[in-house]
Amino acid sequence: MKLEFYDVPVLTGNSLEHWHSVYLAEVYTTLGGKHANELCKAGIGLRGYKLESTLDDTKAAISENDAIEDVCNDIHGFLITIKGQGKIG
């Protein structure tokens, strides 16, 4: 039996969302946008942090309003729910 190997490019929805966020943040800040935290600018895919968050001091958003101030939190419909209540904060 002869084994054959094939290179198959793999692209997931999660990777598309990641690179969309990275390039959106890059273009947004290049055009003068001011609502991207350091995580967003660095291409780190963690969402749910306030605009004031830095790489050394992350501040979790406690409401939807806190979260959407950072452009990277809002681009894929990120929601923060109130724990135990199933409601959007």
Side-chain angles (χ1 to χ4, degrees), residues 47-87:
R47 292 185 275 169
Y49 292 97
K50 291 183 177 185
L51 182 60
E52 303 84 36
S53 290
T54 66
L55 296 172
D56 295 324
D57 184 23
T58 55
K59 295 176 174 38
I62 57 171
S63 72
E64 185 72 6
N65 289 338
D66 280 348
I68 63 173
E69 288 179 7
D70 174 49
V71 68
C72 285
N73 281 330
D74 196 35
I75 59 175
H76 296 292
F78 181 78
L79 299 175
I80 294 177
T81 58
I82 299 171
K83 289 183 181 178
Q85 297 181 25
K87 297 178 184 175

Side-chain angles (χ1 to χ4, degrees), residues 17-51:
E17 285 184 6
H18 170 74
W19 289 110
H20 179 240
S21 297
V22 168
Y23 291 116
L24 176 125
E26 182 180 311
V27 170
Y28 175 75
T29 56
T30 299
L31 292 173
K34 304 285 186 215
H35 294 273
N37 67 28
E38 284 188 18
L39 300 167
C40 179
K41 291 176 192 174
I44 298 171
L46 298 174
R47 292 185 275 169
Y49 292 97
K50 291 183 177 185
L51 182 60

